[in-house]
């Protein structure tokens, strides 16, 4: 099965490459324009030492201009916050508290967050007042002078992204979780304007093949937030496991939750735990998109309830890693009563616009049944106020319209484009975090090829679809070979950072030579955060 998937994808890729205008993500950037020159600065000043005071932003900012002098954070620094109305000031204060919580452990300072417009005694001002549009999609401006720092944005989300930049402008030791002496907490004077290129900057965690604890999901949320990612897709059900409590169908969690892919851990999120994850993600400006994969990839549901099967008997739990053998019954009302309950309960717990309905690899479902099924599923989701997103060939199903998104993992996006659907781009041979880095790295699969860090970085979403049709990018982390958080981090880092930059930074500001230099300079921050990343030999790591 996997080999077929691989070959098909490669043939289609070749066709697309021939028909599309090739765009090189890794062309060496010229420096003859003002914006090029400005953008070159963060990654190229000084030598690439880890604590040399040089700036290694990831993702790269749209405009960065270094000025003479520096600002120093002290025990007296306050964080002032303001906005257009009380609600916005309140939310801005929360971003201020978040900034304070990042600063405190290593510096020992406990900056006071004050609702005021003027930073007294030279502080940090966070302002969400609408007076100089940056972008309402989460952009921001930063001005660092010797006296103070002003971070402004059109909304608190933009301020949150600006805080991530401030964090990377401070010495790397800011990432330590314990008091660190002997560091001058200075930031070079600078002017920055920054905004994202795409609205959807996602990561997917497959909690179905191997359960991922609430604590570990929260750690991933924190790490994603550090790179300005804003969408967490949770793959909550598959053949091997069902991970979300559905109160009207309790055996889903009780039975479906107990299995996992061979050697993996079972488990499920109670509704309270799921709501807690969603709220935690919201506090980091990350939207959770839950996925119930159907009509294929449903063995865990079929193992939980006999009535979902043609013979009325529960299927056997499945712990292998094959795909394409299970299907819901597409012409039986019990199936739609089941899906109605699942989507109703999930929609009530999910503030985001989208529910992911899977739709991939339904090789045991006829085309006709697939059409019937997706028409009903789209109607059910709409009845609970949600839009749908699905994997190819979801776009080809009748009943899927421009309201829905296609997550494309296969290159044929013609039906989606014809229908006016927007796309989330996830090419397996670039963006799949579960592919091995190299032949001899232990974890991961290889059906889409090996993905060393440079391959994960050197592509553009526009290699796959026209710019105007792209909602964003997402890197899925399937968990067939993952057992522990160490495994997860090894596959995710540093490749997650490639995808964060592809989602955020304009493509003419990106090139591998500059990026690998920044990644090497940035690495010590991952060390201080105890991220277990793979030291890919294609990067000249420092230390
Ligand atoms: C393909 S890509 C899958 C998953 C597997 C993954 C392993 C897609 C939509 N489905 O079911 O876990 O390959 O790499």
């Amino acid at each position: 099965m996997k080999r077929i998937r691989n070959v098909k994808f490669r043939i289609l890729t070749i066709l697309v490459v021939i028909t599309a205008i090739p765009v090189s993500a890794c062309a060496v950037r010229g420096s003859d324009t003002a914006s090029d020159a400005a953008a070159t600065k963060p990654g190229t000043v000084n030598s690439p030492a880890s604590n040399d005071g040089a700036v290694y932003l990831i993702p790269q900012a749209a405009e960065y201009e270094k000025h003479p002098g520096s600002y120093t954070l002290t025990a007296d620094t306050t964080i002032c916050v303001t906005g257009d109305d009380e609600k916005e000031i309140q939310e801005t204060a929360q971003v201020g508290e978040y900034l304070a919580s990042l600063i405190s452990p290593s510096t020992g300072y406990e900056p006071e967050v004050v609702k005021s417009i003027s930073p007294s005694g030279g502080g940090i001002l966070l302002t969400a007042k609408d007076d100089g549009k940056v972008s309402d999609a989460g952009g921001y401006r930063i001005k660092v002078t010797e006296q103070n720092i002003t971070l402004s944005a059109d909304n608190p989300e933009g301020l949150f992204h600006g805080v991530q930049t401030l964090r990377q402008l401070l010495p790397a030791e800011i990432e330590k979780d314990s008091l660190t002496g002997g560091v001058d907490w200075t930031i070079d004077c600078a002017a920055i304007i920054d905004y994202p290129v795409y609205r959807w900057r996602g990561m997917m965690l497959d909690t179905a093949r191997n359960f991922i604890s609430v604590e570990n999901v929260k750690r991933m949320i924190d790490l994603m937030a550090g790179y300005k990612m804003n969408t967490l897709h949770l793959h909550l059900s598959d053949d091997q496991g069902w991970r979300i409590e559905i109160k009207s169908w309790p055996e889903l969690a009780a039975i479906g939750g107990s299995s996992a892919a061979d050697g993996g851990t079972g488990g499920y999120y109670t509704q309270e735990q799921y709501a807690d994850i969603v709220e935690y993600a919201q506090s980091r400006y990350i939207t959770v998109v839950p996925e119930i994969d159907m009509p294929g990839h449903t063995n865990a549901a079929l193992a939980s309830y006999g009535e979902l099967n043609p013979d009325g008997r529960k299927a056997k739990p499945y712990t292998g890693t094959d795909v394409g053998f299970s299907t819901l019954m597409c012409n039986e009302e019990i199936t739609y009563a089941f899906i109605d309950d699942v989507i109703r309960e999930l929609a009530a717990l999910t503030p985001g616009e989208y529910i992911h309905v899977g739709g991939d690899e339904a090789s045991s479902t006829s085309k006709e049944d697939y059409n019937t099924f997706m028409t009903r599923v789209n109607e059910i989701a709409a009845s609970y106020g949600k839009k749908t997103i699905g994997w190819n060939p979801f776009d080809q199903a009748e009943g899927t319209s421009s309201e829905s998104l296609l997550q494309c993992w296969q290159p044929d996006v013609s039906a989606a484009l014809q229908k006016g659907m927007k796309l989330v781009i996830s090419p397996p041979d670039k963006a799949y975090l579960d592919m091995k880095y190299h032949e001899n790295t232990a974890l991961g699969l290889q059906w889409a090829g090996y993905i060393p860090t440079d391959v994960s970085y050197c592509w553009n979403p526009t290699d796959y679809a026209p710019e105007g049709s792209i909602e964003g990018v997402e890197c899925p982390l399937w968990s067939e070979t993952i057992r522990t958080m160490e495994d997860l981090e090894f596959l995710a880092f540093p490749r997650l950072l490639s995808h964060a930059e592809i989602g955020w930074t304009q493509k003419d500001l990106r090139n591998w030579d500059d990026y690998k230099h920044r990644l090497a300079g940035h690495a010590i921050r991952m060390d201080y955060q105890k991220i277990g990343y793979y030291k890919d030999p294609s990067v000249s790591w420092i230390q």
Side-chain angles (χ1 to χ4, degrees):
M1 187 65 201
K2 297 207 163 126
R3 188 162 294 150
I4 293 168
R5 207 190 280 154
N6 184 11
V7 170
K8 238 201 287 182
F9 183 80
R10 276 161 185 267
I11 293 169
L12 288 166
T13 304
I14 292 164
L15 289 177
V16 161
V17 168
I18 292 168
T19 48
I21 300 165
V23 186
S24 165
C26 292
V28 176
R29 182 175 61 218
S31 58
D32 51 349
T33 67
S35 66
D36 270 353
T40 322
K41 280 178 192 163
T44 55
V45 283
N46 302 344
S47 65
S50 55
N51 52 2
D52 61 357
V55 174
Y56 304 109
L57 291 180
I58 297 181
Q60 181 63 291
E63 291 177 38
Y64 173 97
E65 205 176 85
K66 190 172 185 290
H67 295 166
S70 64
Y71 173 87
T72 303
L73 208 65
T74 70
D76 297 328
T77 302
T78 54
I79 299 173
C80 296
V81 296
T82 188
D84 287 312
D85 52 42
E86 195 39 53
K87 184 171 168 275
E88 196 173 64
I89 293 171
Q90 193 47 40
E91 204 181 322
T92 302
Q94 283 166 12
V95 178
E97 294 290 355
Y98 170 83
L99 172 59
S101 76
L102 293 175
I103 289 172
S104 291
S106 51
T107 62
Y109 305 155
E110 289 181 0
E112 202 188 342
V113 177
V114 188
K115 292 179 186 165
S116 139
I117 184 92
S118 53
S120 54
I124 302 173
L125 172 65
L126 308 187
T127 168
K129 275 184 168 297
D130 281 343
D131 50 11
K133 271 249 172 255
V134 187
S135 99
D136 49 18
Y140 64 91
R141 285 169 201 266
I142 294 176
K143 189 154 177 55
V144 182
T145 68
E146 289 186 345
Q147 288 71 41
N148 53 42
I149 295 177
T150 307
L151 165 55
S152 51
D154 295 337
N155 50 39
E157 181 189 3
L159 294 176
F160 185 80
H161 294 144
V163 163
Q164 303 308 334
T165 299
L166 278 182
R167 188 175 168 182
Q168 294 190 15
L169 295 175
L170 279 159
E173 289 79 3
I174 200 74
E175 299 300 345
K176 287 189 153 182
D177 61 6
S178 56
L179 194 60
T180 307
V183 179
D184 286 336
W185 301 105
T186 59
I187 298 185
D188 287 339
C189 293
I192 297 173
I193 301 178
D194 197 16
Y195 43 85
V197 62
Y198 295 116
R199 204 177 82 110
W200 183 298
R201 302 180 299 280
M203 175 188 199
M204 188 204 81
L205 291 176
D206 173 6
T207 67
R209 270 54 175 269
N210 185 62
F211 184 62
I212 304 173
S213 70
V214 174
E215 189 193 352
N216 287 338
V217 172
K218 286 184 175 175
R219 172 162 164 88
M220 279 313 301
I221 288 171
D222 279 330
L223 296 176
M224 287 169 67
Y227 302 101
K228 306 184 175 77
M229 297 181 87
N230 68 352
T231 306
L232 175 63
H233 168 182
L234 290 177
H235 185 76
L236 292 171
S237 71
D238 213 300
D239 291 318
Q240 298 84 348
W242 184 283
R243 305 296 177 216
I244 177 76
E245 174 192 24
I246 299 295
K247 292 194 194 272
S248 52
W249 295 73
E251 306 287 29
L252 289 171
I255 298 175
S258 62
S259 50
D262 191 29
T265 317
Y268 66 89
Y269 307 114
T270 64
Q271 294 206 350
E272 292 65 29
Q273 287 173 324
Y274 174 81
D276 180 38
I277 290 173
V278 167
E279 195 184 314
Y280 192 79
Q282 269 182 320
S283 74
R284 269 84 176 134
Y285 295 88
I286 290 176
T287 303
V288 170
V289 178
E291 176 183 352
I292 301 298
D293 201 348
M294 51 195 166
H297 290 275
T298 40
N299 193 76
L302 301 174
S304 306
Y305 284 96
E307 57 264 51
L308 295 178
N309 296 274
D311 61 2
R313 305 214 330 234
K314 291 177 183 175
K316 280 206 189 95
Y318 181 71
T319 57
T321 55
D322 282 346
V323 297
F325 60 88
S326 57
T327 185
L328 290 169
M329 299 183 291
C330 300
N331 297 299
E332 300 293 337
E333 282 311 308
I334 182 76
T335 296
Y336 300 105
F338 164 70
I339 292 170
D340 195 283
D341 285 335
V342 169
I343 293 187
R344 175 174 47 78
E345 292 194 30
L346 202 51
L349 296 164
T350 304
E353 264 183 290
Y354 290 97
I355 301 262
H356 203 303
V357 297
D360 58 312
E361 300 176 316
S363 335
S364 300
T365 316
S366 72
K367 197 168 176 205
E368 194 189 349
D369 281 1
Y370 189 84
N371 281 331
T372 308
F373 183 84
M374 283 306 175
T375 304
R376 294 288 295 272
V377 166
N378 277 311
E379 284 166 7
I380 292 170
S383 77
Y384 294 112
K386 295 298 173 191
K387 295 182 181 174
T388 54
I389 168 169
W391 305 100
N392 312 75
F394 175 66
D395 57 326
Q396 293 170 21
E398 286 166 15
T400 301
S401 72
S402 61
E403 283 291 283
S404 300
L405 296 177
L406 172 68
Q407 180 161 19
C408 58
W409 68 287
Q410 288 174 331
D412 179 5
V413 294
S414 52
L417 296 183
Q418 244 162 32
K419 291 181 179 179
M421 292 170 72
K422 291 215 158 184
L423 311 172
V424 173
I425 310 281
S426 299
D429 60 344
K430 308 282 184 201
Y432 273 31
L433 294 172
D434 64 313
M435 290 302 124
K436 283 174 179 264
Y437 289 89
H438 297 290
E439 200 179 3
N440 49 6
T441 45
L443 297 170
L445 302 176
Q446 61 192 69
W447 65 264
Y450 301 121
I451 310 186
T453 309
D454 55 343
V455 171
S456 76
Y457 185 82
C458 290
W459 63 282
N460 284 309
T462 49
D463 301 343
Y464 298 89
E467 183 72 61
S469 67
I470 300 174
E471 184 77 355
V473 291
E474 187 176 298
C475 49
L477 181 48
W478 302 101
S479 61
E480 284 93 337
T481 67
I482 292 176
R483 297 292 172 265
T484 63
M485 192 58 179
E486 287 71 37
D487 294 350
L488 193 160
E489 291 185 14
F490 178 86
L491 286 172
F493 294 92
R495 294 182 292 195
L496 185 79
L497 281 57
S498 304
H499 305 299
E501 178 150 311
I502 291 167
W504 181 274
T505 305
Q506 275 69 20
K507 73 177 172 196
D508 58 350
L509 299 182
R510 298 202 295 110
N511 74 71
W512 170 246
D513 286 340
D514 174 56
Y515 177 75
K516 76 172 180 201
H517 174 82
R518 276 185 283 126
L519 181 58
H522 176 88
I524 191 152
R525 292 172 192 263
M526 293 196 283
D527 290 329
Y528 288 151
Q529 290 176 86
K530 304 186 173 74
I531 298 172
Y533 59 95
Y534 171 56
K535 289 218 166 179
D536 191 325
S538 63
V539 177
S540 313
W541 305 98
I542 299 151
Q543 312 119 37

